[in-house]
């Protein structure tokens, strides 16, 4: 990385209740450094759905770009989003 280059990590945050989502957005948004910028491109309440995966896909600047993540807090992806993510070889992982 050259001097002045700032890497950006784009996040989509979904949660079970609005308060949790707001807290996560504030927490991760405050983690910027001189080398890395964290940007929340979308947040909302509810299951991770196909449009969340499509937004993540559209945000990638190149096919090998892995700086787009979907974070789910006490939510899981629906079947359509799982299928779409598997078609583009994204690894989905879950924590309780």
């Amino acid at each position: 990385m050259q001097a002045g280059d700032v890497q950006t990590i784009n996040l989509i945050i979904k949660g079970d209740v609005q308060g949790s989502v707001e807290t996560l957005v504030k927490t991760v948004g405050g983690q910027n450094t001189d080398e890395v910028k964290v940007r929340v491109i979308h947040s909302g309440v509810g299951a991770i759905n196909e449009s969340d995966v499509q937004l993540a896909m559209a945000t990638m600047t190149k096919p090998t770009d892995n700086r787009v993540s979907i974070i789910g807090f006490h939510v899981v992806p629906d079947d359509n989003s799982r299928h779409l993510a598997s078609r583009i070889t994204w690894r989905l992982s879950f924590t309780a």
Side-chain angles (χ1 to χ4, degrees):
M1 187 163 75
Q2 297 177 356
D5 286 345
V6 177
Q7 299 293 316
T8 301
I9 300 171
N10 297 301
L11 298 176
I12 297 169
I13 299 176
K14 299 294 289 269
D16 58 343
V17 294
Q18 187 63 32
S20 296
V21 172
E22 290 172 2
T23 300
L24 284 169
V25 168
K26 286 182 183 179
T27 301
V28 299
Q31 301 303 313
N32 296 327
T33 68
D34 291 339
E35 294 87 22
V36 178
K37 177 183 176 190
V38 178
R39 183 174 71 142
V40 178
I41 57 173
H42 176 67
S43 64
V45 174
I48 297 167
N49 56 44
E50 191 173 2
S51 65
D52 296 321
V53 175
Q54 290 172 338
L55 176 59
M57 290 168 47
T59 304
M60 292 190 307
T61 57
K62 57 188 175 233
T64 57
D65 193 350
N66 62 356
R67 292 174 293 174
V68 181
S69 294
I70 302 172
I71 297 174
F73 186 75
H74 290 267
V75 296
V76 295
D78 62 23
D79 289 338
N80 291 335
S81 62
R82 283 178 195 262
H83 178 69
L84 181 58
S86 69
R87 285 188 14 226
I88 58 172
T89 65
W90 273 14
R91 181 180 57 88
L92 296 176
S93 57
F94 309 97
T95 57

